[in-house]
Amino acid sequence: MTELTPVPDQAGGDADTVAARSTSVSVTARDQGGSTNGHVGDRASWRRLSVATAEPAASADPAASADPAAPAASAAPAASAASAASAGPATGGDHRSGDEVEAGIVALWQAFGRRRDQELRDRLVLHYAPLVKYVAGRVGTGLPSHVDVSDLIQSGIFGLVDAIEKFEPERGLKFETYAMQRIRGAILDDLRAQDWVPRSVRSRARDVERALERLEAKLQRTATDAELAGELELSLDELRELFAQLQMTSVIALDDLIGAGPAQASLAETLPDDRAEDPVAALVDRDSRRQLAEAVERLSERDRVVVTLYYFENLTLAEIGKVLGVTESRVCQLHTRAVLRLRTKLTEQA
């Protein structure tokens, strides 16, 4: 595992402040499965690399074995230092000074500028990998909670590779300043590619938010639709149409947790099911049926027969009259009396 040195807040920090220490490096040209022509190479290999940088262990120091005395001992000091830097980090304690680390990185850049070798590029990627995690953390602070920082790091790795490919050390500029802009741009481009909402709608949503902030600060109250439409120079119909478009931009994950403590639950658990039976209504209906059955049992025998035949057997008043041997009008009187008695008994119980 490797241990990262904290990256400074300023974009243009020195190379030795971004350097990382490592006890093992396993990324080689063969591991990446790519060619040595200087292009990005296999995307799957870089995804594996991005996963490694997402952990609190990332890069190896490409100048771990650079010898500061090499310029005096060799006719090609830059190539010697780059070769030593590519050989891997020292296995023991590393007590090199910042100047020695810087010299090794400069030699590695010089060697990469001449040969454009993929192995040298991978060494540079491992050295500057903490920049990706730093930029991804800064970008991720303003994003929704469902956006994973590891996805941002994966996108930033491609931006770092592109920055290494296009950087020109002979101009005398700091690579960190240039790379952080390319990494941030790669992350934002990937986020925009995954966003299903058009950028124009996002822009209009920001305009509405800023207009609301201006009006509420000016009026010291919630602005009406008419006032907001005037601030945006829109009609009320156009404002309502804009609101309908902005509704589609509000997306929330159903598995997001709400509440706190024992009452914590996901949003999906709080959504009502219109097809489900209401337990309160079911309980009230069951109790009403029980009370009605008890009231029917307390009726006289003839009244109970009329109610039973009329409501449960679905007989007409004339058919009930034939069963009881009375006229239809008499059955109507018996039915009215039974209903009034039932109503009275249910009212008393309530």
Side-chain angles (χ1 to χ4, degrees):
M1 296 295 291
T2 58
E3 181 177 357
L4 296 180
T5 302
V7 181
D9 287 341
Q10 60 269 26
D14 294 336
D16 56 338
T17 61
V18 186
R21 300 190 176 200
S22 172
T23 58
S24 63
V25 176
S26 60
V27 178
T28 63
R30 292 189 306 272
D31 294 333
Q32 295 299 329
S35 62
T36 57
N37 57 2
H39 294 291
V40 173
D42 185 11
R43 293 178 65 92
S45 301
W46 288 113
R47 286 193 180 94
R48 291 194 295 270
L49 176 60
S50 68
V51 172
T53 59
E55 300 176 356
S59 66
D61 195 333
S65 302
D67 186 1
S74 174
S80 300
S83 176
S86 301
T91 56
D94 193 347
H95 304 290
R96 293 169 300 147
S97 64
D99 293 337
E100 292 173 336
V101 174
E102 183 70 21
I105 297 301
V106 170
L108 191 60
W109 273 112
Q110 292 173 351
F112 178 71
R114 289 193 302 271
R115 288 189 287 161
R116 290 291 172 177
D117 184 76
Q118 183 176 350
E119 183 176 356
L120 297 177
R121 183 192 63 191
D122 294 345
R123 302 290 297 180
L124 290 171
V125 170
L126 287 175
H127 176 74
Y128 293 108
L131 277 178
V132 178
K133 188 174 182 180
Y134 170 73
V135 176
R138 295 288 295 270
V139 174
T141 54
L143 298 178
S145 58
H146 65 270
V147 178
D148 194 353
V149 178
S150 61
D151 294 335
L152 304 182
I153 293 176
Q154 175 178 306
S155 303
I157 285 291
F158 293 103
L160 175 61
V161 172
D162 187 60
I164 293 175
E165 293 283 352
K166 298 179 179 179
F167 182 63
E168 300 177 0
E170 59 272 11
R171 292 193 176 185
L173 302 177
K174 285 185 175 297
F175 174 76
E176 289 85 350
T177 305
Y178 171 74
M180 290 177 72
Q181 296 299 324
R182 299 304 298 262
I183 293 170
R184 184 176 184 274
I187 293 175
L188 295 180
D189 288 343
D190 190 61
L191 288 174
R192 294 189 184 105
Q194 297 178 17
D195 191 6
W196 56 273
V197 180
R199 295 185 60 184
S200 60
V201 177
R202 294 288 187 191
S203 177
R204 300 188 73 179
R206 289 191 293 269
D207 292 340
V208 172
E209 292 176 358
R210 286 192 288 264
L212 284 173
E213 291 176 357
R214 290 194 301 268
L215 287 175
E216 291 177 356
K218 178 181 178 180
L219 302 174
Q220 297 298 314
R221 58 176 174 81
T222 302
T224 63
D225 289 348
E227 293 169 342
L228 180 59
E231 181 70 17
L232 295 173
E233 299 181 355
L234 300 174
S235 64
L236 283 176
D237 292 337
E238 292 174 338
L239 180 63
R240 294 189 181 99
E241 183 180 355
L242 177 58
F243 283 157
Q245 295 177 358
L246 297 182
Q247 284 180 351
M248 297 186 298
T249 65
S250 301
V251 180
I252 186 171
L254 292 179
D255 57 352
D256 283 350
L257 297 179
I258 59 177
Q264 191 178 47
S266 65
L267 181 61
E269 296 175 350
T270 64
L271 297 178
D273 186 1
D274 297 333
R275 295 175 296 180
E277 182 181 9
D278 186 1
V280 176
L283 180 62
V284 171
D285 181 66
R286 189 181 306 119
D287 187 65
S288 299
R289 288 173 180 270
R290 180 187 58 79
Q291 293 180 7
L292 180 60
E294 293 177 354
V296 171
E297 289 295 330
R298 289 197 293 267
L299 291 175
S300 63
E301 182 179 357
R302 175 165 286 194
D303 290 346
R304 187 167 59 251
V305 170
V306 171
V307 170
T308 302
L309 294 178
Y310 187 79
Y311 288 102
F312 295 96
E313 301 296 335
N314 295 324
L315 298 181
T316 62
L317 296 179
E319 293 172 338
I320 296 174
K322 293 179 180 180
V323 172
L324 298 179
V326 296
T327 62
E328 183 178 351
S329 59
R330 179 57 182 166
V331 174
C332 182
Q333 294 174 359
L334 294 174
H335 172 265
T336 303
R337 185 181 67 182
V339 170
L340 291 175
R341 288 178 177 178
L342 287 175
R343 187 177 298 169
T344 301
K345 292 181 182 301
L346 291 176
T347 303
E348 292 175 353
Q349 292 179 1

